[in-house]
């Protein structure tokens, strides 16, 4: 993980407007361009993002579309719906990347579980209870991008946490979503 921390966050570069193309998102998230395009269409249909006009500093190429995150809708989904839509599946014990309260960059008052939750990942640095990620390439994308890793770890707390943990994680997750550029 240390080598990836030295790199700039790929999502942060995208968020700062440096290069927010479908191709760059696909590369950052280890997904195909088609997957990203379909995801954008699903997010539009779910009213989690909205198409917008380009900002002054953005290229106004006629075939390029721009989107804004609907933060309140996204917070509602991640804080109250995610555990019902994507129920957590624990698949045994193994090595991988620590997630939830065990993520090294999630600062919290919560005590992490004795047996950490981990996403299976070749060469992972943590031993723990394996948690099925939201999508198969998620651990690799999180390994490359610290900001994404923190967000996804908080989402995992929302999927697996107890009521007290959920309340605290919701505050952290809402703060992180507010920080996102759109």
């Amino acid at each position: 993980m240390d080598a990836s921390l030295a790199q700039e966050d790929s999502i942060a570069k995208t968020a700062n407007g440096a290069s927010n193309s479908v191709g760059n998102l696909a590369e950052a998230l280890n997904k195909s361009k088609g997957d990203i395009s379909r995801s954008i269409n699903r997010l539009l249909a779910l009213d989690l993002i909205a198409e917008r006009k380009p900002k002054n500093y953005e290229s106004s190429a006629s075939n390029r579309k721009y989107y804004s995150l609907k933060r309140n809708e996204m917070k509602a989904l991640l804080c109250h719906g995610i555990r019902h839509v994507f129920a957590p599946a624990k698949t045994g014990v193994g090595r991988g990347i620590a997630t939830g309260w065990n993520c090294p960059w999630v600062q919290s008052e919560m005590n992490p579980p004795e047996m950490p939750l981990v996403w299976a990942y070749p060469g992972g640095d943590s031993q723990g209870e394996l948690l099925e990620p939201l999508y198969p390439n998620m651990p690799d994308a999180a390994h490359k991008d610290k900001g994404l890793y923190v967000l996804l770890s908080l989402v995992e707390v929302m999927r697996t946490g107890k009521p007290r943990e959920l309340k605290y994680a919701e505050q952290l997750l809402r703060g992180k979503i507010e920080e996102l550029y759109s």
Side-chain angles (χ1 to χ4, degrees):
M1 204 63 168
D2 294 335
S4 67
L5 291 178
Q7 301 171 354
E8 287 186 77
D9 293 345
S10 55
I11 300 302
K13 284 192 286 186
T14 300
N16 292 328
S19 186
N20 58 0
S21 69
V22 168
N24 287 327
L25 280 172
E27 183 179 332
L29 298 172
N30 290 332
K31 305 287 276 178
S32 71
K33 291 179 185 178
D35 285 344
I36 297 297
S37 182
R38 285 186 294 276
S39 294
I40 288 170
N41 289 333
R42 281 192 302 273
L43 291 170
L44 283 166
L46 293 168
D47 201 33
L48 294 172
I49 63 172
E51 196 167 339
R52 64 171 174 80
K53 294 181 180 178
K55 296 180 180 176
N56 293 338
Y57 57 86
E58 295 172 324
S59 165
S60 58
S62 61
N63 65 342
R64 187 133 188 210
K65 294 182 179 180
Y66 296 87
Y67 303 95
S68 288
L69 175 67
K70 291 188 169 184
R71 288 182 180 92
N72 289 334
E73 287 82 352
M74 185 61 75
K75 286 186 276 191
L77 172 67
L78 294 178
C79 293
H80 303 290
I82 196 79
R83 69 186 304 128
H84 304 291
V85 177
F86 294 102
K90 296 177 182 176
T91 60
V93 176
R95 292 199 71 72
I97 298 175
T99 188
W101 296 127
N102 297 98
C103 171
W105 296 282
V106 174
Q107 303 297 316
S108 93
E109 302 169 355
M110 295 292 132
N111 293 326
E114 285 184 35
M115 173 73 76
L117 290 175
V118 299
W119 297 311
Y121 188 77
D125 56 2
S126 297
Q127 177 81 16
E129 190 171 11
L130 295 171
L131 181 64
E132 187 78 26
L134 294 172
Y135 67 90
N137 293 336
M138 192 172 82
D140 194 41
H143 186 262
K144 292 178 180 179
D145 186 320
K146 177 183 168 187
L148 181 62
Y149 180 24
V150 170
L151 281 168
L152 292 172
S153 290
L154 289 171
V155 169
E156 295 297 22
V157 173
M158 298 308 299
R159 289 176 61 205
T160 62
K162 295 176 175 70
R164 182 170 167 256
E165 294 172 327
L166 295 176
K167 190 173 185 178
Y168 188 72
E170 181 178 342
Q171 292 172 352
L172 294 175
L173 188 57
R174 286 180 178 276
K176 293 290 182 190
I177 291 170
E178 280 302 317
E179 293 172 9
L180 294 175
Y181 170 93
S182 70

